[in-house]
Amino acid sequence: MEKVLVVDANARGIGRRVSTIDVIGVGPRLVTSLLRNYNIAARLYAYENVIEDPKIMESYDILAISFMISDVPAVKKLINLWNKINNGGIVILGGSGALSQAILQSLRFSMAFKGEVEVTFKHIFSSYTKLSESYEVFLKEKSTIRGLVIKTQNGELLDGGLGIWAPKEMLNIIPVIEDLKTYPLFWASRVYVEVVRGCSNFKRAKQASNGKVCTNCNLCYVDPLSLKAPCPIGILPGCGYCSVPTVHGPARSRNLYTILEEVERLTKIGVSRIVLSAPDFLDFGRDHLVENPLTEPCRPPPNIEMIEELLNKLTRIRAIAMEKTVIMIENVKPCLVNDEVADVLGRYLKDTPIYIGLESCSDELLEKIGRPATCSSTINAIKKLSDHGLRPYVYLMHGLPIESEDDIRKTIKCIDVLESVGVERIVLYRFRPIPYSTFENFTRPDTAMQNASKRELYVKVSEFNKKQKDKLRGMVVKAIIAQRHPTKRGFLIAYPQKHGPVILLRGSSNLIGHRVTVKIQEAISDRVVLGSLVHIHERYI
């Protein structure tokens, strides 16, 4: 039986995590499970485990790496280590980093999977029993299939393009559970569980990075997908800076009972924080309300019955009912938030964060980049969610190549409004062109500090976040003590169970692995607060 070592190198950058340390995504877990379904002896490890103990590699025939665009240095380090130990054995690449042609040219590998892998795997394993066998044939014949890239010995890329979008019935494989124990802090991490694959926003940006400009043909607004998908001038679907609609297709909901089983199994190994992952959680079940693929971002309204059934059944799982495990959701589109949605989310997810993409407070810019909501409708959605006990986190972007000084000014003026409607945190990030997005060929902009108005926006957001952290003083929260602080002697690092700023507190290392009640004393920065121990609850490890 062929043995594949799957390594999660996501967010490892130059070789270690500096942010989102407490996140474990879906992709590597799912790929490992899919390979096992085809009788491949696959095992998943966190990047750190393999780097710190390279002997792990000796037992495997193939190295498979999941990574992002920013992780190339970490990936090169891993491949070099593999080649020393295994004499240039097969290396497979996957994840969003494998979508970049430039990155594929720069790395030493054998096979790469671009986009969704379910259908590509099915094609491979219908003809071969081993990945190595398929690679040898493709290499010999200088051929490939959809979703697969073969790198020849002279560096030529045989590129099959993006993988075919997996039909809904193929989304019900449960990602590996036990392998999570190879992650150093799995019990304290936010473990992501896929609820929806793909995005319902098939609206488009008004111009592309290749210079083409929308002709207002209105095909973006018609059904079915077969008419909507091929833009006459080649502008890709979705927000201009995002590749999800192109890479992952229209929104498809996973089976409710598959989700329930996965979550319950995660609670049984001690996972304390679970995020129901989707480009938009409110798309869950909406695809059941339409005959064609779901490509309308705002119509029909959310499938409240299915959403409530999912949340109700999840909260009946023993560990969740006892609050040993917390469930959270991630993103929602503002145009789908109404009073009924806010009420349901508030009842089941009170005091948890909810992420909303505002991106800009300029309606003109929002229209140009393909966003499905206006600034005012987003603010109304935020207020509804806040009024029902959720903690809104808002995304803002700077550096879009088509933004003007006026657009930035409108966003700066809007910060105070965001505070008044209950936003807890603003996540300000710089535009980055990514493969298979409409804005792929735009140049990455300078940092915010290089431009006066962007610098003003950056400072305003930093002040906002620090002010919001100051409001936490005196608040009592449940947290999971994860580890010693690497530099502050006598301090421990804890993660709020319902997410929030990292908590530092004094205490013995014997507390690591416990759920505790903590009182917030003060904000140290816009990301870290100081806390004091109030009560010690159960131990996870």
Side-chain angles (χ1 to χ4, degrees):
M1 185 183 290
E2 193 166 57
K3 300 180 72 176
V4 176
L5 172 63
V6 182
V7 179
D8 182 355
N10 289 286
R12 268 49 176 206
I14 60 172
R16 63 184 178 88
R17 280 188 170 183
V18 293
S19 61
T20 61
I21 294 171
D22 62 330
V23 167
I24 300 176
V26 176
R29 293 175 51 228
L30 177 59
V31 167
T32 305
S33 190
L34 287 166
L35 288 171
R36 289 180 186 173
N37 270 18
Y38 290 107
N39 207 31
I40 300 293
R43 181 74 193 273
L44 170 64
Y45 281 88
Y47 179 88
E48 298 78 16
N49 285 25
V50 180
I51 290 294
E52 292 168 10
D53 184 11
K55 287 185 178 180
I56 291 171
M57 293 179 167
E58 293 176 359
S59 304
Y60 293 90
D61 307 307
I62 293 176
L63 172 67
I65 309 169
S66 175
F67 71 107
M68 301 188 295
I69 288 174
S70 56
D71 301 321
V72 172
V75 173
K76 286 183 176 178
K77 187 182 297 185
L78 193 62
I79 292 173
N80 288 339
L81 200 56
W82 170 262
N83 287 334
K84 286 179 183 177
I85 292 171
N86 281 31
N87 289 324
I90 289 176
V91 174
I92 295 175
L93 304 179
S96 59
L99 296 173
S100 167
Q101 204 77 354
I103 288 175
L104 293 181
Q105 291 284 7
S106 71
L107 293 174
R108 291 160 58 190
F109 72 95
S110 313
M111 309 167 75
F113 290 89
K114 296 176 72 170
E116 300 190 1
V117 300
E118 287 90 345
V119 176
T120 309
F121 276 5
K122 184 179 179 180
H123 287 166
I124 287 174
F125 292 110
S126 64
S127 301
Y128 309 98
T129 58
K130 295 181 178 180
L131 286 166
S132 56
E133 182 186 357
S134 71
Y135 171 66
E136 289 167 6
V137 172
F138 288 132
L139 193 61
K140 182 179 179 181
E141 297 179 351
K142 297 198 73 174
S143 63
T144 188
I145 57 173
R146 283 281 298 275
L148 179 66
V149 180
I150 299 294
K151 193 163 194 177
T152 66
Q153 292 171 343
N154 64 6
E156 180 187 358
L157 296 181
L158 308 175
D159 192 343
L162 285 176
I164 296 168
W165 302 329
K168 189 184 299 187
E169 59 270 18
M170 295 184 77
L171 302 182
N172 295 317
I173 296 293
I174 293 179
V176 291
I177 304 293
E178 290 293 325
D179 290 29
L180 278 173
K181 294 177 181 178
T182 72
Y183 289 75
L185 303 175
F186 79 92
W187 40 271
S189 296
R190 287 174 283 159
V191 177
Y192 280 60
V193 171
E194 187 174 42
V195 174
V196 176
R197 176 86 61 89
C199 180
S200 62
N201 182 24
F202 270 61
K203 188 178 177 180
R204 288 173 166 85
K206 292 296 183 183
Q207 71 178 74
S209 52
N210 60 9
K212 293 183 178 179
V213 177
C214 176
T215 60
N216 296 313
C217 70
N218 290 324
L219 283 179
C220 294
Y221 303 94
V222 302
D223 277 326
L225 175 62
S226 58
L227 293 177
K228 183 180 294 188
C231 170
I233 60 170
I235 296 178
L236 298 174
C239 301
Y241 53 84
C242 177
S243 65
V244 170
T246 298
V247 175
H248 295 290
R252 293 99 74 204
S253 304
R254 282 181 84 207
N255 179 273
L256 183 147
Y257 291 96
T258 303
I259 297 167
L260 292 174
E261 182 182 349
E262 182 178 347
V263 170
E264 185 161 21
R265 288 173 60 185
L266 287 169
T267 67
K268 287 180 177 178
I269 67 164
V271 171
S272 61
R273 306 157 75 207
I274 293 173
V275 179
L276 304 179
S277 176
D280 180 2
F281 177 77
L282 298 179
D283 278 341
F284 179 71
R286 262 205 329 132
D287 49 327
H288 291 220
L289 302 177
V290 295
E291 293 181 8
N292 295 308
L294 183 61
T295 57
E296 281 291 337
C298 307
R299 303 189 313 272
N303 190 332
I304 290 293
E305 288 185 8
M306 280 193 65
I307 288 172
E308 182 155 20
E309 183 181 9
L310 173 64
L311 295 176
N312 181 271
K313 282 182 163 60
L314 284 169
T315 53
R316 291 183 183 183
I317 292 172
R318 180 177 175 79
I320 296 171
M322 296 174 65
E323 297 186 347
K324 186 177 179 181
T325 302
V326 166
I327 57 168
M328 299 170 273
I329 64 174
E330 197 174 22
N331 306 307
V332 295
K333 282 195 290 292
C335 64
L336 291 175
V337 175
N338 55 36
D339 290 325
E340 195 174 9
V341 165
D343 175 65
V344 168
L345 297 183
R347 278 191 280 119
Y348 292 100
L349 303 168
K350 188 176 180 181
D351 296 327
T352 63
I354 187 165
Y355 290 80
I356 302 136
L358 173 55
E359 313 308 347
S360 170
C361 295
S362 165
D363 286 345
E364 294 84 356
L365 181 59
L366 294 175
E367 177 69 16
K368 287 178 183 176
I369 64 177
R371 292 292 298 166
T374 62
C375 178
S376 60
S377 67
T378 303
I379 288 170
N380 288 336
I382 291 167
K383 187 174 189 309
K384 289 180 192 296
L385 295 167
S386 178
D387 288 347
H388 284 82
L390 289 120
R391 298 158 47 207
Y393 283 29
V394 168
Y395 288 114
L396 290 176
M397 184 188 296
H398 73 83
L400 283 160
I402 55 177
E403 75 182 356
S404 66
E405 289 290 317
D406 184 58
D407 294 328
I408 299 169
R409 287 282 158 208
K410 287 176 179 176
T411 301
I412 293 170
K413 290 178 182 177
C414 199
I415 303 298
D416 292 337
V417 178
L418 295 178
E419 180 179 3
S420 71
V421 295
V423 171
E424 180 173 312
R425 183 179 177 221
I426 297 173
V427 181
L428 178 66
Y429 64 105
R430 180 168 42 138
F431 162 73
R432 179 173 192 157
I434 60 173
Y436 292 97
S437 70
T438 293
F439 295 166
E440 175 179 2
N441 295 318
F442 280 132
T443 303
R444 192 178 189 197
D446 293 332
T447 65
M449 306 309 287
Q450 304 293 108
N451 173 280
S453 56
K454 292 175 189 174
R455 182 167 60 248
E456 184 180 347
L457 174 62
Y458 177 85
V459 170
K460 183 86 171 176
V461 168
S462 297
E463 290 172 348
F464 172 93
N465 286 333
K466 181 62 165 60
K467 183 178 179 181
Q468 297 306 94
K469 296 298 177 291
D470 288 337
K471 292 179 182 178
L472 298 178
R473 183 180 292 126
M475 185 177 291
V476 176
V477 299
K478 298 283 197 312
I480 312 296
I481 298 183
Q483 58 187 346
R484 296 187 190 92
H485 194 282
T487 58
K488 294 182 182 294
R489 190 171 181 179
F491 280 90
L492 302 171
I493 293 174
Y495 296 120
Q497 197 170 11
K498 292 186 176 181
H499 195 45
V502 173
I503 301 171
L504 296 189
L505 68 161
R506 288 189 180 275
S508 164
S509 59
N510 291 332
L511 291 171
I512 293 172
H514 282 84
R515 185 166 72 110
V516 297
T517 298
V518 176
K519 185 175 183 179
I520 306 300
Q521 301 295 330
E522 63 176 305
I524 297 174
S525 70
D526 67 348
R527 290 175 177 264
V528 182
V529 296
L530 181 68
S532 60
L533 192 63
V534 174
H535 184 75
I536 302 170
H537 301 283
E538 70 275 9
R539 187 184 183 98
Y540 286 88
I541 59 166

